[in-house]
Amino acid sequence: MTEASIAAQRIEQLRAELDGHNYRYYVLDEPSVPDAEYDRLFRELQALEAEHPQLVTPESPTQRVGGEALAAFGEVRHEVPMLSLGNAFEEEDLLAFDRSVQSGLGLAGDLFGGGVEVEYSCEPKLDGLAVSLRYENGQLVRGATRGDGSTGEDISSNVRTIRNVPLKLQGEGWPQVLEVRGEVFMPKSGFEELNVRQAESGGKTFANPRNAAAGSLRQLDPKITASRPLEFCCYGVGQVSGELPATQVGMLEQLKAWGIPISRELKLAKGVQACLDYYRDIGERRMGLPYDIDGVVFKVNTIEDQQQLGFRARTPHWAIAHKFPAQEELTELLDVEFQVGRTGAVTPVARLKPVKVAGVMVANATLHNMDEVARLGVMIGDTVIIRRAGDVIPQVMAVVPERRPADARDVQIPENCPVCGSHVERTQLVKRSKGKETFSEGSVYRCVGRLACGAQLKQAIIHFVSRRAMDIEGLGDKTIEQLVDEQLIASPA
């Protein structure tokens, strides 16, 4: 045998061995060798490929380091739309979902019960970024973000750098085309280490693991993505040119056998009460999990039943995300400022002593309107309970009256617009009945300045150029604000 053929044989052995170690480590959670041994094999492969560059292939474990930086991401059209999930926030929401499923499958009982229990797959709802991975003949050929559900961004170069994404499927019998879908996320430990590295190098630190994962996956330079501790977890499939097992759990277990990582918390539940038990169990263990989750996903287990139940416009009838209650924190209300919107509405915004809520530093929160201020009984200086509703929008939920300081001040609506100085007046509601008109005070206060008010002008033009209106590209909020401030534009015209 020639030196080249010996090298080629050893390279194939090393690749197969490293792929096997990756599968046992990331998918089975059963590491087969110490990290030092894995590193030794990896370095040997790197050295051989450096000596014989003609033998380097795209699916080699060494090719996860990232290629050349991209100028921009291309677009990917999803053959099967990537839909959202409906949400359940209360126990009754999940019970209503189960009743709807039973009814849709013709399994519901009478007024006295007696319905057939439906089997559901159960898994945590990871807080990351939804992606699609396309395999052809067992080889990873493309990765894409969810985007708007119909069209996403081509992030193939970046997903190839994620250590637990198989570049080549294990085993045999996979379909010619297999599109798997799942979540790219950053484990808590990796997130903390990344922020330490970023701070030491003077780089940007991230507010939470989800932001870090999303930012890492959308880097134009794959080498940056390769340096980030990302992981992938599959929860379903898209386009498939062949047969898969007839149940959700069976299908995921088959994907696992082919080397695709799935949730280690995947379980089968018979009936909605078993689903609620799973939800409570995961909720109790939530803080101890090595990754962030914001709820639990339940899916009708039988694929034929999923097809029978079908879809709404953007969500399936056969799946639901049971969200955990929003996380809450106490902080101090430092001040209340007033913002002016596009229609002239003058709304109160709470300025808070910064506090971390659900992994994000919160310094501002909505108070909606003055009726809400009155309902809460909130005063400047109060200690308040902040909640990120749906883990997104910070809200002032309640006041802790026993902590109110002696110098607390009332929240007063300004008589004049804080932007243009025009008069602020309260809206009136008109109710017409049997030819009579009755007037009552509305909850909204408005600046009467209209387009003479800089704030209303900016918001009007921002709305005018937005995607839902004239869809003018390249004219962003900051540009419009500068143009208005410099008095270069005074109306949409």
Side-chain angles (χ1 to χ4, degrees):
M1 292 179 69
T2 65
E3 182 185 345
S5 61
I6 294 172
Q9 192 175 46
R10 180 56 179 160
I11 283 172
E12 285 305 310
Q13 287 176 343
L14 288 167
R15 287 174 184 165
E17 196 170 345
L18 288 167
D19 283 341
H21 292 321
N22 280 334
Y23 174 64
R24 285 186 284 274
Y25 182 88
Y26 289 113
V27 181
L28 301 182
D29 196 25
E30 297 170 356
S32 50
V33 294
D35 289 348
E37 174 65 8
Y38 181 94
D39 292 340
R40 186 190 66 75
L41 296 170
F42 191 86
R43 286 196 299 272
E44 183 184 349
L45 178 59
Q46 280 181 313
L48 283 170
E49 288 183 345
E51 290 177 25
H52 305 275
Q54 74 278 10
L55 298 177
V56 177
T57 60
E59 67 271 12
S60 173
T62 63
Q63 299 307 296
R64 295 187 184 275
V65 294
E68 295 299 311
L70 306 174
F73 295 113
E75 283 193 348
V76 172
R77 184 83 180 172
H78 299 301
E79 298 290 339
V80 178
M82 293 185 72
L83 301 177
S84 305
L85 290 176
N87 290 326
F89 293 99
E90 306 293 340
E91 183 175 312
E92 179 51 44
D93 298 334
L94 187 64
L95 296 174
F97 165 74
D98 179 62
R99 288 194 295 270
S100 172
V101 167
Q102 291 195 49
S103 176
L105 296 175
L107 303 175
D110 54 27
L111 290 173
F112 303 100
V116 176
E117 289 187 320
V118 177
E119 283 190 341
Y120 294 98
S121 72
C122 317
E123 56 190 319
K125 185 176 182 297
L126 290 164
D127 200 9
L129 193 71
V131 300
S132 152
L133 305 178
R134 182 182 178 91
Y135 290 85
E136 294 180 3
N137 298 314
Q139 304 280 347
L140 177 65
V141 297
R142 192 182 71 199
T145 62
R146 178 181 177 276
D148 63 4
S150 299
T151 304
E153 292 175 317
D154 189 330
I155 53 167
S156 303
S157 299
N158 289 349
V159 295
R160 293 180 66 85
T161 71
I162 300 173
R163 284 297 178 94
N164 74 335
V165 169
L167 304 178
K168 180 181 178 182
L169 296 179
Q170 299 267 333
E172 57 186 19
W174 8 264
Q176 182 182 358
V177 174
L178 174 63
E179 181 202 345
V180 300
R181 291 170 173 183
E183 205 85 1
V184 169
F185 64 99
M186 188 173 289
K188 294 174 183 176
S189 59
F191 167 72
E192 291 166 3
E193 291 169 8
L194 172 64
N195 264 354
V196 169
R197 292 204 311 268
Q198 292 290 100
E200 287 174 349
S201 64
K204 173 191 172 185
T205 57
F206 295 93
N208 54 55
R210 188 195 183 283
N211 288 4
S216 300
L217 201 56
R218 298 190 71 257
Q219 293 288 331
L220 291 174
D221 186 352
K223 290 186 177 66
I224 297 177
T225 307
S227 71
R228 304 283 174 81
L230 298 174
E231 292 189 24
F232 172 74
C233 180
C234 173
Y235 54 64
V237 296
Q239 186 184 19
V240 179
S241 65
E243 294 297 318
L244 290 175
T247 64
Q248 182 76 19
V249 171
M251 177 262 292
L252 289 172
E253 292 290 354
Q254 177 61 74
L255 295 179
K256 178 181 177 181
W258 287 332
I260 296 169
I262 64 172
S263 174
R264 292 164 190 154
E265 300 287 346
L266 176 69
K267 285 189 179 177
L268 182 64
K270 187 167 185 179
V272 70
Q273 288 302 323
C275 291
L276 287 168
D277 291 342
Y278 179 90
Y279 173 82
R280 295 185 191 108
D281 174 58
I282 291 290
E284 289 171 1
R285 296 191 287 118
R286 178 184 183 186
M287 301 311 293
L289 294 174
Y291 40 76
D292 276 350
I293 61 173
D294 56 3
V296 168
V297 176
F298 300 112
K299 297 176 182 174
V300 172
N301 190 43
T302 305
I303 304 298
E304 187 178 336
D305 288 347
Q306 293 182 7
Q307 293 167 348
Q308 181 178 334
L309 290 163
F311 301 85
R312 301 178 187 86
R314 295 186 64 82
T315 59
H317 283 290
W318 43 266
I320 196 165
H322 193 178
K323 304 294 282 289
F324 291 126
Q327 295 183 18
E328 299 177 344
E329 290 291 349
L330 289 177
T331 190
E332 184 182 343
L333 177 62
L334 302 177
D335 201 0
V336 173
E337 297 177 2
F338 290 85
Q339 292 182 343
V340 184
R342 177 170 59 90
T343 63
V346 179
T347 56
V349 177
R351 303 301 184 201
L352 308 167
K353 184 176 181 180
V355 64
K356 202 167 194 175
V357 186
V360 173
M361 289 302 294
V362 172
N364 305 313
T366 179
L367 283 165
H368 299 294
N369 52 49
M370 290 303 292
D371 282 2
E372 180 70 357
V373 170
R375 185 189 71 79
L376 292 168
V378 66
M379 298 178 69
I380 297 168
D382 275 344
T383 295
V384 293
I385 298 172
I386 301 299
R387 183 175 76 179
R388 291 182 63 214
D391 281 357
V392 179
I393 304 167
Q395 288 182 283
V396 177
M397 300 304 298
V399 173
V400 184
E402 57 268 29
R403 295 195 184 184
R404 176 166 290 164
D407 59 351
R409 294 176 285 126
D410 288 332
V411 178
Q412 300 280 359
I413 190 81
E415 293 182 3
N416 300 99
C417 173
V419 176
C420 70
S422 300
H423 182 62
V424 172
E425 62 181 27
R426 189 166 189 168
T427 55
Q428 285 196 318
L429 302 178
V430 182
K431 184 178 180 181
R432 295 180 174 87
S433 178
K434 297 180 181 179
K436 292 184 179 181
E437 290 185 346
T438 55
F439 296 85
S440 60
E441 290 185 326
S443 60
V444 177
Y445 288 79
R446 279 203 171 87
C447 162
V448 300
R450 298 186 181 273
L451 293 185
C453 174
Q456 292 184 65
L457 177 61
K458 289 174 184 176
Q459 293 301 318
I461 296 174
I462 287 170
H463 174 70
F464 182 80
V465 306
S466 69
R467 184 175 295 178
R468 292 187 178 183
M470 299 304 292
D471 195 14
I472 300 175
E473 294 184 358
L475 194 53
D477 297 7
K478 296 295 182 186
T479 304
I480 289 170
E481 289 172 5
Q482 289 176 331
L483 290 170
V484 172
D485 289 340
E486 295 296 326
Q487 299 182 350
L488 294 174
I489 54 176
S491 73

